[in-house]
Amino acid sequence: MTKNDQSVLPRVSERLRALVVDDSASQRKLLVSLLEAMDIEVLTASNAAEGLFLCMTEDPPIQLVLSDWQMPEMDGPELCRTLRDLAEQTYTYLILMTSETDRAKKTSGLEAGADDFVTRPIDIAELRARINTGRRLLEMQEKLLLRNHEVRSALDELTAMHDAVNRDLAEARKLQRAFLPKPTHRFCGSELSLRLVTSGQIGGDLVGYFPISATCIALYSIDVSGHGIASALLTGRLAGLFTYTSRRGNIAFASDGSAHSPDEVMRRLNDVMLNELASEIYFTAVLAYVDTETGEVEFCQAGHPHPLVRRADGRVDRLGEGGPPVGLLPDVSFDRVTARLAPGDALLAYSDGLTDCTDSWGGMLEEEGLMQLLAGIDVAPEAAVDRIEAALRDHTGIKQFEDDISMLMFRYHRPKAAGAVA
């Protein structure tokens, strides 16, 4: 294993490989016979330089070195020190052979990198015990290397998978943005703006609009349960059911081209969720039809936050009575509610990510805070949603949004010429 490629395990011999370094040929011969009797593969070197060369070049690597302390040019402790400096990944167990009994001398050998000592003249039982100790430590080190290799390999695989998922999520984010109609729109003199800020790369909120007739427009705000991939996939399905470009593919229209009422659309969506998709995911929604000739609003609220109306005089009214979510229970009924907009009034539909937005102390903005915020905004819808988003970011401070943020604002102006679509 090299320093730059730590994921490659060193090749280890089935038998323990040892190196005897001694300038005495007779001592080398004696040690070879003793070690081979222990079923150890043995190499020999007559000096420290030759021993270093073998330690750095042998494959499989040498695992155990028995070195004489006293040798010309480079002694045993210097061999230990040099080998420790050169070896990077594999561990070699070093035993110094010496007749020294001075504790200070042995301490210097340990500081140089030696693991153990054998006293000369060599006692066979002592030598076997020292080697068996080294063998156990080497086996533990080999197991540790294997576990490290397995962990690193697993981390590399997880990193590759994470990178692949991030690339897919980045593409999914682009596709999810493509589901949305244009962020600003003018219709019969009225104007609207929508905004979607996901808490992650992809989210479960959806806002949009589509024409019902030459003078009536549908506005919708949807919040799918959860924030992950499944939620994002459902928003894609719902965006297709509320397509802007085709009445035939839009669930709000009957086969003859007439529009279903908002409550009937919710009932049909509930059937699709329970019978076709058969998923545990559900969603809340508001679907509103605005007649630009009269200012009348016909809407259905399905478990979604109450739509708010910012009146031209600064008052803020909440609309609706609640209602059950879509896709949670079979055979539920959805209510249809009506309201009226006067010229200059602005209708805001939004997900609960706005009211549940928390500051650094955990305090939520809540509906009352949003109503107060809305009361102070008397500008065109695009600038208004900019101000609301900025206020939410000020409220959260250094925190990130914990939930998706979505909103749609429609400011009503009576058209100058009935039937004109901008």
Side-chain angles (χ1 to χ4, degrees):
M1 180 159 49
T2 65
K3 186 174 183 179
N4 295 325
D5 187 8
Q6 299 181 8
S7 65
V8 179
L9 280 172
R11 193 164 66 89
V12 179
S13 173
E14 293 183 0
R15 295 173 63 198
L16 184 66
R17 302 190 85 213
L19 171 67
V20 173
V21 184
D22 199 314
D23 57 342
S24 169
S26 61
Q27 289 296 320
R28 292 198 302 272
K29 185 175 181 181
L30 173 63
L31 287 167
V32 167
S33 62
L34 292 175
L35 295 176
E36 287 181 344
M38 300 178 193
D39 194 30
I40 297 174
E41 182 182 348
V42 188
L43 289 79
T44 61
S46 60
N47 55 66
E50 183 182 353
L52 281 173
F53 178 79
L54 291 174
C55 286
M56 302 308 298
T57 58
E58 279 294 308
D59 185 27
I62 292 169
Q63 299 155 285
L64 174 69
V65 173
L66 283 87
S67 174
D68 187 20
W69 185 300
Q70 296 292 338
M71 291 185 293
E73 296 183 2
M74 180 185 292
D75 61 14
E78 191 174 353
L79 168 63
C80 293
R81 185 179 296 106
T82 305
L83 188 56
R84 293 292 185 230
D85 290 340
L86 293 175
E88 296 175 338
Q89 303 301 326
T90 59
Y91 190 81
T92 306
Y93 196 80
L94 304 179
I95 299 177
L96 287 176
M97 299 175 291
T98 179
S99 57
E100 289 284 352
T101 57
D102 183 67
R103 290 186 177 181
K105 283 252 185 179
K106 287 190 174 182
T107 300
S108 67
L110 292 172
E111 291 176 346
D115 294 293
D116 208 343
F117 299 91
V118 173
T119 304
R120 280 184 161 157
I122 292 176
D123 179 271
I124 296 177
E126 180 189 4
L127 176 63
R128 186 184 300 275
R130 305 287 186 188
I131 290 176
N132 285 337
T133 298
R135 192 195 299 269
R136 288 194 297 270
L137 291 174
L138 289 168
E139 288 173 354
M140 292 174 58
Q141 193 259 351
E142 184 179 336
K143 290 178 181 178
L144 181 60
L145 278 177
L146 179 60
R147 296 295 176 265
N148 286 342
H149 172 73
E150 291 173 345
V151 169
R152 181 173 292 278
S153 297
L155 287 175
D156 288 344
E157 290 178 7
L158 288 174
T159 300
M161 292 172 60
H162 183 266
D163 291 343
V165 168
N166 276 339
R167 289 193 296 270
D168 288 344
L169 289 176
E171 292 301 315
R173 180 184 178 88
K174 295 177 184 177
L175 292 174
Q176 190 174 39
R177 294 288 177 177
F179 295 155
L180 302 177
K182 293 186 300 182
T184 59
H185 186 62
R186 294 185 66 86
F187 185 89
C188 297
S190 297
E191 53 190 333
L192 65 86
S193 181
L194 56 85
R195 183 65 48 86
L196 173 61
V197 182
T198 56
S199 59
Q201 290 204 52
I202 54 176
D205 281 13
L206 184 68
V207 283
Y209 52 87
F210 55 89
I212 295 292
S213 67
T215 58
C216 184
I217 188 170
L219 313 172
Y220 59 87
S221 173
I222 295 173
D223 184 0
V224 178
S225 60
H227 310 288
I229 296 174
S231 301
L233 289 173
L234 182 55
T235 62
R237 172 68 168 142
L238 294 173
L241 292 175
F242 283 130
T243 176
Y244 183 91
T245 57
S246 171
R247 290 196 173 200
R248 180 173 298 179
N250 193 315
I251 197 170
F253 296 97
S255 58
D256 62 0
S258 61
H260 296 295
S261 62
D263 56 306
E264 174 63 14
V265 175
M266 292 300 179
R267 187 195 65 77
R268 298 184 73 197
L269 284 169
N270 199 59
D271 289 342
V272 169
M273 290 290 294
L274 294 175
N275 300 325
E276 296 183 22
L277 299 182
S279 170
E280 295 183 359
I281 300 176
Y282 62 92
F283 65 88
T284 65
V286 163
L287 176 63
Y289 296 168
V290 182
D291 187 328
T292 58
E293 288 189 326
T294 64
E296 183 177 4
V297 180
E298 182 183 33
F299 72 94
C300 179
Q301 180 186 9
H304 211 61
H306 297 283
L308 301 177
V309 176
R310 200 273 187 193
R311 302 296 181 182
D313 61 5
R315 291 181 297 113
V316 177
D317 297 332
R318 65 198 293 269
L319 307 179
E321 298 297 332
V326 179
L328 195 59
L329 299 170
D331 303 323
V332 295
S333 60
F334 298 92
D335 296 330
R336 185 184 351 164
V337 181
T338 59
R340 187 172 295 276
L341 299 177
D345 289 350
L347 173 68
L348 177 68
Y350 59 93
S351 67
D352 61 7
L354 278 76
T355 51
D356 291 350
C357 185
T358 58
D359 58 22
S360 57
W361 299 98
M364 292 185 181
L365 181 66
E366 299 185 342
E367 185 181 62
E368 182 179 353
L370 180 60
M371 293 175 71
Q372 292 176 356
L373 175 61
L374 188 60
I377 298 176
D378 184 21
V379 291
E382 184 176 11
V385 296
D386 284 342
R387 289 193 184 182
I388 294 174
E389 181 182 345
L392 292 174
R393 295 192 183 278
D394 287 342
H395 180 74
T396 59
I398 61 174
K399 291 179 58 181
Q400 299 293 321
F401 291 141
E402 297 177 355
D403 196 1
D404 301 329
I405 302 291
S406 62
M407 54 185 148
L408 183 151
M409 179 175 282
F410 177 87
R411 171 164 285 191
Y412 172 61
H413 298 286
R414 183 174 289 116
K416 294 180 180 178
V421 180

